[in-house]
Each structure stands twice: as structure tokens, then as C-alpha cells.
Amino acid sequence: MPLSKPEKLLEHELSCPICLELYTNPVYLPCGHNYCLACINATDASSGEKSLSRCPECREEYSGTETLHKNFKLCGIIEGYRAIALVENLGREPLEVRCDPCLDTETLAIKTCLKCEMSLCARHLQRHTERESFRSHDLVEPQTKLGLRSCAIHGHLLEYYCVSDMTFLCASCFIKGTHQNHDVLTIEVAEEEMRRVLESRSKEVANRLQLTKTLLQRAAEDQGTSDAVVDKLMSTAVALMDSMAGLVSRYRDRMSLLLEEERGHQRKIWQSGLGLLEEQQKELMEANQSSAEVLSVTDKHLFIHRFLLIESQLTEVVTSTVARVLSKEPLNTKRLQASLRMNDFRAEMGQLLQALNVQLNPLELTFNITTAHPSLLLSNDLRTVKYIGIKQASTDNPERFSTAPQVLCSQSFTSGEHIWVVEVGDQSMWSVGLCYKSVPRRGDHSRLGHNPVSWRLQWKNKKLTACHASSNMALVEKTNQPLRVEVALDYEGGTLIFHSTKGCREHLHTFRAVFREPVYPAFSIHSTTTAQSWITLQSGV
């Protein structure tokens, strides 16, 4: 019967051509053919030839079985095939197994003897256990496929496992075979060791699985956070672009209206000049007609009489100034700019562009830990500073503030326009500002604003003040402190502007100065016992 199923074809390919069973301890000949070691030994011994041995299939000569090598790859393939076949056979195990000794009747078996390779009903099982020599046999639940439990060469139960060759052995294989110097274990010990290894590996797999789940969850959270940041950036940027478009649209409509008014004004002036010219034309035509009529009179007395009547009219129209239509008056751009309020347009558009630039190019400022006062605690990302009330142990550093609880940023600016945003604790007392690197680090004059090289805005005791060169200025009283402060620096323009941006945007103060050195963002948290004394650098989003 021809082989048709892939499983049968594979089993045929993995079978020894001599014994027609799956390879056991396969060896390969120089010609490339494979055989069970026991089969090729038996074939070689039965030939009785003193000459070189020959391959049973292609008859190519080889130098005896002692020169042959085990085919480890083929051995591994066969063991894998046997394991898969065993799982499939067990998975398809019928629920009802018949008793083998009951030949006349079909009696259900209740146990299978692995040693005898027989399934037994209750009656035959009793007889089996009554024999003293059978009592050591292994009894299991009824099985139908027992070929994988017995040796293909000797037909005995597989009781050992050779670790070196990765193959099962019966007692005869162990005693008579080529495994005397190999690492051979009993099936029980091999199963125990393999189970222990498998349990250990299973734990490793479980740990790696948990780690993978954690990493996937963290990646999903990071992606969610990233998406939220992108969504927020997109929403803010689109809103700013819409505001720009709205601003341009409003000023465009206003310009159209003003240009239309200017056109109406010019048309009115032109029409006025045209009316005068037409009136003068009419008078000249009448005078011309009167003159023609008098010239046509032939009577001398009548001619003189009529001439005297029209002389004054002719003199008036001839001597009067000829009206002129004004040429097109050039557009008064200065008046148009004033009416359009172009300075307001420029300021509003500049503010929107600046806000968009902040969104798309946020500053990544960080605190400089070497400048931090010992009573200030910095976060790991160097973006939050907190007042802890006690001085920490710190190295002696000439850049560190030792009197006032202050800290500078690591970044400095020598040109351009820059914006950064800070958030503060709702119970904090703080100073936010700018200074040169040469600002003093100790003494009362080291406090921000109390020297000529620093500028600061301060919230303290529910009062907002601005200070530079020890000149303190009280600002408008506020019932609630600013919790989010935007600082805008225009280095060349010489301005340092503070806005409150929590809720409604509100201008707080503007310093005007001529900056001549690199300037550093500077901060201070004043003595307080509350846990909400902190300042966080934002990314400008």
C-alpha cells in the first residue's frame, strides 16, 4: 500500500533500511547512508568476510563498524519525532482499552503493565499481581500505544536514558551496548532532573514573560504619554495658527473697508471738480452762442446795442479761471497705517509667532546642581528644586550659593529671544529672574536683585515685587499668587518680561537693561515650613 500521509512518509525516512524501525543509535557510513548501530554490526558480523565491509545499499566499501560515527543530528530528529508522536498518540488515546488476555470476550482493561506490555481487566490483573515475580512491574492507566516504551532492538522496557547520546536504553542496551562509559540515568532520575530543569526554565520563562508584559505596558504608557504630548502640541499649534489666520482676516477686512472709504473720498473730490468743469463748459457754450448771434446782426445800431448787452458776460467767461479735474490723488499710506493700527497688528502677530515658536522649540532648561544652596533638593532630572529646610552635606564649591537659598540653570544666553516657563507650589515664596555668572555667592548682596548683575521678580508674604541693583519696586497687589510664570528674554532688545499664564494671561513686570555678559536663569525659594515649596522648569508646552 503506497504511503500517502506526510507523517507516514516522515516515519519511513526516519526508519532503518535493515530493521525497518525508527533509527536507534544511528551511525552514518562514508557513502552517506545511515543505519542503527546494532543493525550494521549484525550485518557486518553475518557477512563473515575478511575483506573490507560494504554498505548494504550501495555496496561501497568502508573500514569496519569501529570507524563509524554516531549521527547526532539524526538522533535528535528521531527523539523529537518520538516525543511529538507520543503526545499525539496520548492525545488520541481512546477512552476504552480492551483486555489483551481476554480473547473470546471484549472486556475493558483497568490497568496496563509496562513490563509485560499488556492491558489487563480486573480478573487478569488479580492473577498478575498474585505472582511474586510480577509484583515489581509498573502498572499505569490503560494505554494502547506501548511501542515508545519498549526497546526497538531487544523488545524490553526502556528503563534508562543515556545523557551522552540523548537516547533511551533497555537493560540489554545498557549492559551489552556501547554506553558503559556514558552518563546513563534511570528513567525516574532522568525524569526528575529534566522536570527540575524544566521547572527552573519555566520560572525563567515566567519571569521573562512578566518582564515583557511590564515593558509592553510601560511602552504603551509611554506611547500614550507621547501621543498626549503630541495631541496637546498639535492642538495648541493649530489654535495659534487659527488665531493668526483670524488676526490676518480681521485686518484684511479692515483694510478692505479703509481702502473702499479712501476710494469713495477720491471719487467725491473727482466728481466735484468734474461738476465745476461741466458748469463752466455750459457757460462758455452759452457765451459762444450769444456771440455768434450778435455777429450775425447787420444793422449797425442794433449790433452796438446787443454787443453792449453781452459784453460783460463775455468778459466774465473769458477772464474766469478754467476749472480743472484733479488728477488721481496718491494713496495716503501713513493715514492708512494709522487707521489700520499696524503697530497693534505687528505686536499681536509677534506675540502669536513667539508663542508658536515656544511650542515648536521649547527650551530644555535644567538646574545646575553645583550652584544649589545646601538647603535646596534637586530632582533626578534636574528640573525641580525643593526647599527642605535643613542643610545637606555638600562639597565646597565656589559656584555654590551659601547665604541665600538660590540656584542657577546650567544654560546661558548671549543673544536672541528666549522664553521659559516655571510652575511653583501653591504655598511657595519664590524669586524668578536672571543674572550674570559673576553674581556673588555669599553675603546679603548675593540675593537676587540686590546687586547690579541680577534682575528678579519675587512673591513673598502675599506681595509681588521687582528688584534690580537693590531698588525694590512693589507691583500691583494680587490676592492669588501666580502659579505658572512665563519669562521672555530679548537679549538684543534689552527686555526681560514676566507673565502669569495660569488661566488668563496677565503681564506682571518688564525689566529694561543692556545685557553685556551671558545671562543665566536664576531662582530662589524663601524660608517656609510648607511642603509645597518647589519650582519646576517646564518645557514651554
Side-chain angles (χ1 to χ4, degrees):
M1 181 177 179
L3 296 172
S4 58
K5 293 185 177 181
E7 296 86 351
K8 293 293 184 182
L9 290 172
L10 179 59
E11 185 174 347
H12 176 71
E13 292 297 327
L14 298 179
S15 298
C16 173
I18 298 176
C19 65
L20 303 180
E21 298 289 343
L22 290 176
Y23 286 109
T24 301
N25 199 13
V27 293
Y28 60 91
L29 275 59
C31 61
H33 291 110
N34 294 278
Y35 301 96
C36 300
L37 179 59
C39 294
I40 195 65
N41 279 333
T43 302
D44 189 55
S46 63
S47 64
E49 297 180 3
K50 295 183 179 179
S51 59
L52 292 175
S53 303
R54 292 180 179 273
C55 172
E57 292 184 84
C58 66
R59 308 305 297 171
E60 182 177 325
E61 295 181 346
Y62 65 95
S63 303
T65 56
E66 64 276 0
T67 63
L68 301 180
H69 298 282
K70 183 174 180 176
N71 192 332
F72 289 99
K73 177 165 283 191
L74 181 58
C75 183
I77 294 173
I78 293 170
E79 291 300 328
Y81 176 78
R82 281 178 171 164
I84 294 173
L86 176 61
V87 172
E88 292 181 349
N89 290 333
L90 291 176
R92 295 193 295 266
E93 196 74 32
L95 296 176
E96 296 181 352
V97 180
R98 306 298 177 182
C99 176
D100 292 323
C102 293
L103 301 178
D104 297 332
T105 60
E106 291 187 354
T107 308
L108 293 178
I110 61 172
K111 290 291 180 181
T112 295
C113 178
L114 298 180
K115 184 74 173 179
C116 301
E117 296 189 3
M118 296 180 67
S119 296
L120 306 170
C121 64
R123 183 167 57 88
H124 287 103
L125 178 62
Q126 183 179 359
R127 293 180 182 178
H128 184 278
T129 54
E130 287 176 351
R131 295 189 180 184
E132 184 70 28
S133 58
F134 288 179
R135 290 180 181 176
S136 61
H137 290 190
D138 292 327
L139 298 174
V140 297
E141 293 302 312
Q143 304 286 326
T144 58
K145 301 294 183 180
L146 299 172
L148 292 175
R149 301 175 184 272
S150 60
C151 178
I153 300 175
H154 305 102
H156 301 156
L157 181 67
L158 297 172
E159 301 178 80
Y160 303 94
Y161 179 77
C162 178
V163 178
S164 303
D165 293 338
M166 294 185 296
T167 186
F168 291 95
L169 307 175
C170 67
S172 298
C173 292
F174 179 48
I175 296 172
K176 302 176 184 178
T178 59
H179 304 275
Q180 286 81 0
N181 297 322
H182 292 184
D183 185 10
V184 179
L185 306 174
T186 63
I187 291 295
E188 292 77 10
V189 174
E191 186 230 5
E192 183 180 350
E193 289 192 3
M194 290 181 182
R195 188 175 294 278
R196 186 169 58 251
V197 171
L198 182 58
E199 288 174 352
S200 176
R201 294 289 174 82
S202 297
K203 289 181 180 179
E204 292 179 6
V205 170
N207 291 336
R208 285 180 174 268
L209 178 61
Q210 183 61 41
L211 177 61
T212 303
K213 288 180 178 178
T214 302
L215 292 175
L216 285 173
Q217 182 179 0
R218 190 176 301 168
E221 292 173 355
D222 292 344
Q223 183 63 38
T225 303
S226 177
D227 290 343
V229 171
V230 172
D231 290 343
K232 183 178 179 181
L233 175 60
M234 183 180 299
S235 174
T236 306
V238 168
L240 288 170
M241 296 294 286
D242 289 342
S243 298
M244 292 181 194
L247 181 64
V248 171
S249 178
R250 290 196 305 273
Y251 274 85
R252 180 190 59 203
D253 294 343
R254 180 169 178 78
M255 177 177 284
S256 298
L257 179 62
L258 291 173
L259 287 174
E260 193 62 35
E261 291 177 355
E262 185 69 19
R263 179 186 297 172
H265 176 69
Q266 288 187 348
R267 185 180 293 114
K268 186 176 180 180
I269 295 175
W270 178 80
Q271 288 178 344
S272 177
L274 184 64
L276 291 174
L277 189 60
E278 288 176 344
E279 182 68 25
Q280 193 173 45
Q281 181 187 28
K282 182 180 177 181
E283 292 176 356
L284 287 170
M285 290 176 65
E286 291 176 353
N288 187 51
Q289 184 178 357
S290 299
S291 178
E293 291 176 354
V294 172
L295 287 173
S296 65
V297 175
T298 58
D299 185 84
K300 296 181 178 59
H301 293 86
L302 182 59
F303 172 80
I304 295 172
H305 176 72
R306 296 190 65 177
F307 170 76
L308 294 174
L309 291 176
I310 66 171
E311 182 184 11
S312 60
Q313 179 187 3
L314 291 174
T315 302
E316 183 179 352
V317 297
V318 170
T319 58
S320 64
T321 304
V322 178
R324 294 180 180 275
V325 178
L326 295 177
S327 60
K328 215 166 189 181
E329 184 181 349
L331 184 65
N332 191 332
T333 55
K334 290 185 178 181
R335 183 173 63 226
L336 183 62
Q337 285 187 22
S339 301
L340 273 175
R341 297 193 294 273
M342 289 301 296
N343 290 335
D344 294 344
F345 174 77
R346 188 181 296 107
E348 290 182 62
M349 183 59 74
Q351 191 176 62
L352 291 172
L353 286 171
Q354 192 177 53
L356 183 61
N357 182 62
V358 170
Q359 299 298 319
L360 301 179
N361 301 286
L363 283 174
E364 295 296 336
L365 296 178
T366 54
F367 292 117
N368 185 346
I369 195 171
T370 61
T371 65
H373 186 273
S375 63
L376 298 180
L377 180 65
L378 301 186
S379 60
N380 291 333
D381 61 359
L382 301 179
R383 300 184 65 82
T384 297
V385 58
K386 185 176 182 181
Y387 182 79
I388 58 174
I390 57 174
K391 289 189 176 182
Q392 309 169 87
S394 58
T395 58
D396 190 15
N397 191 310
E399 294 189 4
R400 190 182 306 282
F401 290 101
S402 60
T403 302
Q406 299 175 166
V407 63
L408 304 184
C409 279
S410 298
Q411 296 76 16
S412 63
F413 308 109
T414 57
S415 63
E417 298 180 11
H418 308 276
I419 295 179
W420 58 97
V421 179
V422 298
E423 288 191 355
V424 298
D426 57 8
Q427 299 297 323
S428 299
M429 292 192 293
W430 46 264
S431 290
V432 175
L434 207 64
C435 71
Y436 293 157
K437 191 173 184 179
S438 57
V439 65
R441 306 305 166 106
R442 64 181 64 225
D444 187 65
H445 59 290
S446 67
R447 290 185 295 153
L448 296 178
H450 288 261
N451 48 70
V453 294
S454 63
W455 301 257
R456 65 105 173 112
L457 182 76
Q458 183 183 85
W459 173 264
K460 187 175 182 181
N461 298 326
K462 298 184 178 181
K463 293 181 180 180
L464 193 65
T465 60
C467 188
H468 169 64
S470 298
S471 177
N472 202 39
M473 178 190 305
L475 304 180
V476 178
E477 291 190 6
K478 298 177 62 65
T479 55
N480 298 317
Q481 71 154 319
L483 297 179
R484 185 180 174 95
V485 179
E486 176 191 278
V487 186
L489 167 68
D490 183 350
Y491 193 94
E492 286 81 8
T495 59
L496 182 64
I497 307 173
F498 298 86
H499 282 91
S500 173
T501 58
K502 191 76 170 181
C504 186
R505 182 181 178 85
E506 180 184 1
H507 175 257
L508 300 177
H509 186 66
T510 298
F511 285 105
R512 300 188 183 279
V514 178
F515 301 115
R516 294 184 173 87
E517 300 179 23
V519 289
Y520 292 78
F523 308 87
S524 177
I525 300 180
H526 307 289
S527 300
T528 178
T529 57
T530 177
Q532 297 300 318
S533 299
W534 52 265
I535 298 175
T536 296
L537 293 166
Q538 299 296 313
S539 297
V541 178

